């Protein structure tokens, strides 16, 4: 039972912190123990699954708020009370992110077509 609790604490720590050292300090579990768990394939699978789930949740949250962010950028661009530099920065940000997002959507479309062909 103690191993299961330790495993849960380590996974939570790894998800919350950027380094093994920070995880060890936050959880009170030694770095050596954390590294030992990370060498275990079953543990790594569970950790990777929870990490992917966390990333997917955060990605969905970002997507859900994308319209709000775009509206705010457009408001900055449209606000003649903002300095020219602030408006140009907002325009540049909007254009750069639009280009990257468009590129990614195009790549995903092409990949989907290739997968359909491969079937």
């Amino acid at each position: 039972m103690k191993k299961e609790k330790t495993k849960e604490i380590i996974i939570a720590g790894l998800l919350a912190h950027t380094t093994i050292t920070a995880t060890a300090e936050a959880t009170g579990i030694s770095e050596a123990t954390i590294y030992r768990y990370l060498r275990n394939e079953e543990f790594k699978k569970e950790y990777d699954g929870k990490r992917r789930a966390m990333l997917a949740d955060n990605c969905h949250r970002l997507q859900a708020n994308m319209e709000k962010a775009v509206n705010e950028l457009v408001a900055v661009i449209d606000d003649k009370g903002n300095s020219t530099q602030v408006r140009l920065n907002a325009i540049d940000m909007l254009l750069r992110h639009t280009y990257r997002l468009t590129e990614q959507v195009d790549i995903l479309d092409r990949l989907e077509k290739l997968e359909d062909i491969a079937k």
Side-chain angles (χ1 to χ4, degrees):
M1 192 65 178
K2 184 176 186 241
K3 281 189 174 191
E4 188 64 30
K5 184 71 174 166
T6 301
K7 179 176 77 169
E8 290 173 17
I9 291 169
I10 291 172
I11 288 174
L14 290 169
L15 293 174
H17 301 282
T18 57
T19 65
I20 303 293
T21 302
T23 299
E25 288 173 3
T27 62
I29 297 171
S30 73
E31 289 183 41
T33 300
I34 295 169
Y35 280 115
R36 188 170 54 252
Y37 272 83
L38 285 169
R39 284 192 297 271
N40 179 291
E41 286 302 316
E42 204 171 298
F43 175 85
K44 281 190 341 189
K45 281 182 186 177
E46 184 174 343
Y47 166 58
D48 286 343
K50 289 185 179 185
R51 187 172 52 88
R52 278 192 295 280
M54 183 182 78
L55 289 171
D57 288 346
N58 285 318
C59 185
H60 292 142
R61 186 168 178 221
L62 288 169
Q63 289 170 337
N65 287 288
M66 192 180 308
E67 183 177 356
K68 184 193 285 186
V70 170
N71 289 340
E72 288 295 320
L73 267 176
V74 171
V76 170
I77 292 166
D78 289 343
D79 185 349
K80 303 298 182 198
N82 287 328
S83 71
T84 301
Q85 188 60 55
V86 167
R87 292 173 60 221
L88 286 172
N89 288 346
I91 290 167
D92 179 59
M93 181 181 292
L94 185 66
L95 292 174
R96 278 186 292 115
H97 288 289
T98 299
Y99 175 77
R100 286 190 3 220
L101 183 59
T102 301
E103 235 181 7
Q104 291 172 354
V105 169
D106 288 347
I107 289 169
L108 289 173
D109 286 344
R110 292 169 66 191
L111 181 60
E112 191 174 299
K113 286 176 185 172
L114 287 171
E115 288 174 339
D116 287 344
I117 291 170
K119 287 181 182 176

